[in-house]
Amino acid sequence: MFAPDGPTFRELFRQAMSSTRGGYDLLAPKFDSTPFRTPDALLQCVVQQLVAGPSFATALDVCCGTGAVMGHIKPLCQKVVGIDFSPGMLAEAERRLASVEGGDVGLVRGDAMALPFDGGFDLVTCFGAFGHVLPPDQPRFLEGIYRALEPGGRFVFVTGDKPRPTHPAFWMSHGFNAAMKVRNALFSPPFVMFYLTFPLPVAVARLVEAGFQPEVRPLGWDERPGLCFVAAHKPS
Ligand SMILES: C[S@@+](CC[C@H](N)C(=O)[O-])C[C@H]1O[C@@H](n2cnc3c(N)ncnc32)[C@H](O)[C@@H]1O
């Protein structure tokens, strides 16, 4: 549907009618040929921002998927760990990261809402996955990330302001969210995926509530000039 080697409409429909985890297991072999994977051009801007900041030896990528983010971070540190609840996505990550030079790789099957880490990381990242975190779950999601970070470590991600009603993205996002609400009301298990749940003002407020000191800069990606690079610091 998105590319010749990407999923068909029928496959995407099957995925959306499955559970969130089951859906990603189905999509995993073709995930990198969908727009749901974070683009390399965006991640190159993230790397530029990262290397301009404090150095890091250990990194954790939450909801790592097929390892898009880990592939960019692996050359920059001693160890990068990815956590995801989909075995299918983790298998793809293992395959693709084997050919990337850099530090050690760890892949953990687990739930981002109950991260099993107590310190150990200088950097935590999360890309393309806030839509899977319902607003009432945001505090415990951030608590787990805070706990996984060493004092002085940072949580890095990108987000932006909500699109205005004059922008097509506003109507597409709200239309998609409405369809998912209907789907989840009629069918079980739910597929948890909603757009616009973690825009910049919400993100900053939640980070401060969780004890972080957020720093916000323009990401510098020409394709989406409104996107911001957020580095949320855990106090030393
Ligand atoms: C859209 S993909 C993004 C993957 C990757 N971070 C990227 O940017 O390309 C979302 C990923 O989040 C994972 N995920 C969603 N909810 C999760 C949860 N509660 N715990 C762990 N992983 C989760 C899915 O399995 C999927 O791999």
Side-chain angles (χ1 to χ4, degrees), residues 24 31 37-38 63-65 84-86 89 110-112 127-128 132:
Y24 277 107
F31 179 78
R37 177 193 186 275
T38 301
C63 298
C64 65
D84 201 287
F85 66 7
S86 157
M89 297 293 269
D111 188 354
F127 284 78
H132 299 301

Side-chain angles (χ1 to χ4, degrees), residues 20-21 24-25 31-32 36-39 43 61-69 83-87 89-90 110-115 126-130 132-133 141 192-193:
T20 321
R21 201 197 72 203
Y24 277 107
D25 278 338
F31 179 78
D32 285 354
F36 310 127
R37 177 193 186 275
T38 301
L43 292 172
D61 185 36
V62 177
C63 298
C64 65
T66 54
V69 180
I83 184 164
D84 201 287
F85 66 7
S86 157
M89 297 293 269
L90 289 170
D111 188 354
M113 305 305 155
L115 288 177
C126 184
F127 284 78
F130 292 130
H132 299 301
V133 183
F141 173 73
V192 177
M193 170 69 211

Side-chain angles (χ1 to χ4, degrees), residues 31-171:
F31 179 78
D32 285 354
S33 302
T34 72
F36 310 127
R37 177 193 186 275
T38 301
D40 286 321
L42 183 156
L43 292 172
Q44 276 153 14
C45 296
V46 170
V47 165
Q48 279 177 19
Q49 299 272 359
L50 276 178
V51 296
S55 64
F56 54 94
T58 49
L60 170 68
D61 185 36
V62 177
C63 298
C64 65
T66 54
V69 180
M70 294 173 74
H72 284 263
I73 287 178
K74 189 181 171 193
L76 306 176
C77 62
Q78 287 168 15
K79 179 163 187 171
V80 59
V81 174
I83 184 164
D84 201 287
F85 66 7
S86 157
M89 297 293 269
L90 289 170
E92 290 298 319
E94 185 173 20
R95 202 176 50 77
R96 90 183 284 280
L97 291 167
S99 59
V100 179
E101 298 282 318
D104 295 339
V105 167
L107 289 166
V108 177
R109 184 178 169 193
D111 188 354
M113 305 305 155
L115 288 177
F117 306 107
D118 226 330
F121 296 101
D122 306 317
L123 173 73
V124 176
T125 53
C126 184
F127 284 78
F130 292 130
H132 299 301
V133 183
L134 292 172
D137 295 328
Q138 288 170 353
R140 72 181 163 122
F141 173 73
L142 292 176
E143 263 168 47
I145 290 171
Y146 192 91
R147 207 177 338 103
L149 279 168
E150 289 293 320
R154 55 194 167 139
F155 172 38
V156 160
F157 59 94
V158 299
T159 187
D161 284 318
K162 277 191 180 183
R164 295 185 183 184
T166 46
H167 198 283
F170 177 94
W171 297 104

Side-chain angles (χ1 to χ4, degrees), residues 132-216:
H132 299 301
V133 183
L134 292 172
D137 295 328
Q138 288 170 353
R140 72 181 163 122
F141 173 73
L142 292 176
E143 263 168 47
I145 290 171
Y146 192 91
R147 207 177 338 103
L149 279 168
E150 289 293 320
R154 55 194 167 139
F155 172 38
V156 160
F157 59 94
V158 299
T159 187
D161 284 318
K162 277 191 180 183
R164 295 185 183 184
T166 46
H167 198 283
F170 177 94
W171 297 104
M172 280 166 66
S173 306
H174 284 282
F176 178 88
N177 289 355
M180 289 313 274
K181 276 187 187 150
V182 173
R183 177 252 179 258
N184 289 341
L186 296 176
F187 302 99
S188 191
F191 191 95
V192 177
M193 170 69 211
F194 295 97
Y195 286 106
L196 309 178
T197 53
F198 209 56
L200 191 57
V202 173
V204 168
R206 291 274 176 277
L207 288 166
V208 170
E209 281 161 19
F212 287 99
Q213 294 167 345
E215 186 192 339
V216 179

